[in-house]
Every structure is written in C-alpha cells, then in structure tokens.
Amino acid sequence: MIYRTKTPCSWLVARPSIFLGAVSLSNGARNERESRSRWNKGFTLVELLVVMVIIGLLAALVAPRFVRQEEKAKVKAAKAQIELLGTALDTFRLDVGRYPSSPEGLEALRRKPAGADRWDGPYLKKEVPLDPWGKAYIYRSPGEHGPYDLISYGADGAPGGEGDNRDVTSWEG
C-alpha cells in the first residue's frame, strides 16, 4: 500500500503505529487494542462507589436547602391565604354591615348565615382553605388585634413557636 501526499512524509517515521494497524499488529498495538476493549466494557465497582459517594455528598448539601425553601414557601402561602380571606371578610362587611361572628366563622363567606339579609355571596369561589400544614385557620370576631383575628399556628399547630412553627397572623402583615 503506497500513500502519496504532496508534503514530505517525515511524520510517518515518527508515528509508524498509525499505519501498522492496517498492515500488521505489533505486540504493543495489540495490547493497546485489548486494553481499549476492556475499558469499553463498563465501570468497575470502585468507580461506581466513588460516583455514588459524590452524588450522596451533593444531595446532603442540597437537600437541607430545599427543605428550608419548602417551609418558607408554606409560610408565604399562609400569608397569601390570610390576605385573601381578609379581602373576602372586608367584602362581607361592606355588604352585611358587620364581620361574621366567631360562631358563624369563615363558613359565612360561603353560606348565608342567619340574619344576614344583605348577604351577596359567596365571597370565596371555593371552599374555605386549610392552612398549608393542613389545619383550619383560627377566626375570632371581634379580635384582640382588630375587628377580626385570623391565625395559622404553623407547622406544629400550637400557639407561639419559632421558625417553621411560628404563627402566621392577619395583624402582623
């Protein structure tokens, strides 16, 4: 086999293994080809373990941040729902002339309470929502902090608390 090029072939002398594969395989080239085929067969157990450890470390760093973001989102959702309920309560007051009493509760926004002749509801399109932790909002009228108080007791469902267990209220904005 004769290879013709326009330039001198001095590089062929420096790299004879390029063309030796086409003519015959030397021991070095044969070993190189065998090692490549072994390499292409798959990963070793050690390589897989190293990758799994790296993935585990990354997950350990990312997971706590994700959980904190989820809890922050729940607090923001509770604040938004309290704002929505506050708007509906204000609309109820404009129509009826008063806020629903504590016994009437937030259900007065969906169903006409007794004695509310000018009721023009429902004031909520859907049922009264639960807080993001799956518990009912606490409604008091008259409230201690205004004409009404709306409270979500947070993740623990008990008054007070810190962090995720902190109360979300209508008077704290």
Side-chain angles (χ1 to χ4, degrees), residues 135-159:
K135 299 171 185 78
Y137 285 99
I138 308 298
Y139 172 76
R140 284 181 259 174
S141 179
E144 297 173 10
H145 303 279
Y148 65 87
D149 290 346
L150 267 173
I151 307 166
S152 169
Y153 285 135
D156 64 352

Side-chain angles (χ1 to χ4, degrees), residues 1 6 19-20 26 36 50 52 69 75 81 85-86 94 101 132 145 147 158 166-167:
M1 196 181 267
K6 294 180 182 179
F19 294 102
L20 284 179
S26 65
R36 273 193 224 146
V50 168
M52 290 175 64
Q69 290 298 330
V75 170
Q81 285 180 336
L85 292 171
L94 288 172
S101 65
H145 303 279
R166 196 186 89 202
D167 299 346

Side-chain angles (χ1 to χ4, degrees), residues 59-137:
L61 292 173
V62 172
R65 290 184 183 171
F66 179 73
V67 169
R68 275 185 254 135
Q69 290 298 330
E70 182 182 5
E71 289 304 320
K72 285 181 185 178
K74 285 184 179 183
V75 170
K76 288 180 182 179
K79 288 179 181 180
Q81 285 180 336
I82 285 177
E83 284 292 320
L84 171 76
L85 292 171
T87 302
L89 287 166
D90 291 339
T91 307
F92 179 96
R93 184 187 60 80
L94 288 172
D95 289 346
V96 177
R98 64 176 177 82
Y99 286 105
S101 65
S102 291
E104 291 171 338
L106 296 174
E107 280 301 314
L109 299 173
R110 291 285 301 155
R111 292 171 190 76
K112 182 178 179 180
D117 297 329
R118 294 182 293 164
W119 189 85
D120 192 27
Y123 299 97
L124 294 174
K125 293 181 180 180
K126 298 179 180 178
E127 293 299 316
V128 177
L130 298 175
D131 71 6
W133 297 277
K135 299 171 185 78
Y137 285 99

Side-chain angles (χ1 to χ4, degrees), residues 40-60:
N40 291 334
K41 286 184 181 177
F43 298 105
T44 65
L45 180 60
V46 172
E47 291 169 333
L48 290 174
L49 289 174
V50 168
V51 169
M52 290 175 64
V53 166
I54 291 171
I55 291 172
L57 288 173
L58 289 174

